[in-house]
Amino acid sequence: MTATSDAGTVFVETAARLHFGVLDLRGALGRWFGGIGTAAPEPTLLVSASRAPALAVDGADAGRAADFARAFLAHHHLDAGARVSIHRALPAHAGLGSGTQLALAVARALAELYGVATTATALARAVGRAQRSAIGTWTFAGGGLVVEGGRRPDGDDVGPLIARLPFPPAWHCVVAVPRRPPAISGADEAEALARLPPPDDREVEQIAHLVLMALLPALADDDLATFGRALTAIQMTTGRWFAPVQGGAFAPGPSAELVRRMAEWGASGVGQSSWGPAVYGIVEGKDAGARLADRVRAALERCGGGTVYEGAFRAGGARVWRS
């Protein structure tokens, strides 16, 4: 394949992802992990790419972005370079899927630049993502709540998309990222997962039951109270699966405290995204979202600082345009 595209600069913007929980750490039915999640209202990543004789990358996390670009070009046998710029980065190792979103955004920009017909799952395979969770891949592809079905241990397929449902526009999400040491990722995450004891069969079955008979129907019915109870229950149970490594159902310190406080302050559903430290609360209405965000900001200031994002859930995936 050779590079054949119009001149110009391609821009790709994609949002952080929130991981709402893992479905199965046992693999007893032939698939590992699986999960539920969504794109966060904010923050977003913005990258651009334009044609160049050789590969050159600038901006935050340029080294990792260059690795992803080289992987994509090699995967598609493209004898070409590019000028890639990261204009806005996501917080790294914060539970927001920054690595996957960077990888997919760089790959998507290059695909558009060089006329490569592709999909989100093909992009993920080309740059070596979705080795465990495919939530970030599917939020890159589209909006709403996504459920993915996990990976087979003997293949490199991306976990398939099982369900995608839109959020009601009135539901708002507050995301807090405490200023803490980076969460584990990459090889350290794989090692940590390998050390975890398998969850109880009954709990795994309970998670599936909650997703199928409470979480998804409540979302379809615009029933935030039921959705929130189901989501919080899922988070508490799956969080305990990671407690031997994490130190509790939620990361000890500001993350665990904010999860508790957001529930007290009226959030219908609360939890932690992946290993944290990012946590979230879901409420109904713009005013309720603004009030919760203000209280969370004040709480963060008292425990080391951090960043708060607030808004309605996203209806679409990554945005792509050409200058």
Side-chain angles (χ1 to χ4, degrees), residues 19-157:
H19 202 295
F20 284 168
V22 175
L23 298 180
D24 191 353
L25 291 177
R26 307 166 307 161
L29 298 180
R31 287 184 178 273
W32 291 92
F33 306 114
I36 51 178
T38 187
E42 296 287 345
T44 61
L45 166 90
L46 178 63
V47 306
S48 68
S50 56
R51 290 189 295 178
L55 180 64
V57 183
D58 62 82
D61 217 355
R64 190 157 60 153
D67 290 340
F68 294 139
R70 282 190 286 266
F72 179 84
L73 294 171
H75 181 84
H76 288 285
H77 308 290
L78 279 165
D79 183 16
R83 179 74 182 185
V84 177
S85 296
I86 299 94
H87 303 279
R88 187 168 63 245
L90 296 173
H93 308 307
L96 297 175
S98 62
T100 293
Q101 297 310 306
L102 176 63
L104 295 176
V106 169
R108 182 67 181 85
L110 293 175
E112 179 73 15
L113 191 64
Y114 293 133
V116 178
T118 189
T119 63
T121 55
L123 292 174
R125 284 192 293 268
V127 292
R129 305 306 292 184
Q131 297 299 303
R132 287 179 287 275
S133 169
I135 294 298
T137 301
W138 292 115
T139 61
F140 186 88
L145 179 80
V146 298
V147 182
E148 58 100 350
R151 298 182 70 251
R152 295 188 181 94
D154 56 350
D156 64 350
D157 289 342

Side-chain angles (χ1 to χ4, degrees), residues 18 20 38-41 144 167-169 171-173 227 281-282 311-315:
L18 297 176
F20 284 168
T38 187
F167 283 95
W171 292 16
H172 275 235
C173 184
F227 179 92
I282 303 172
F313 287 98
R314 292 179 174 270

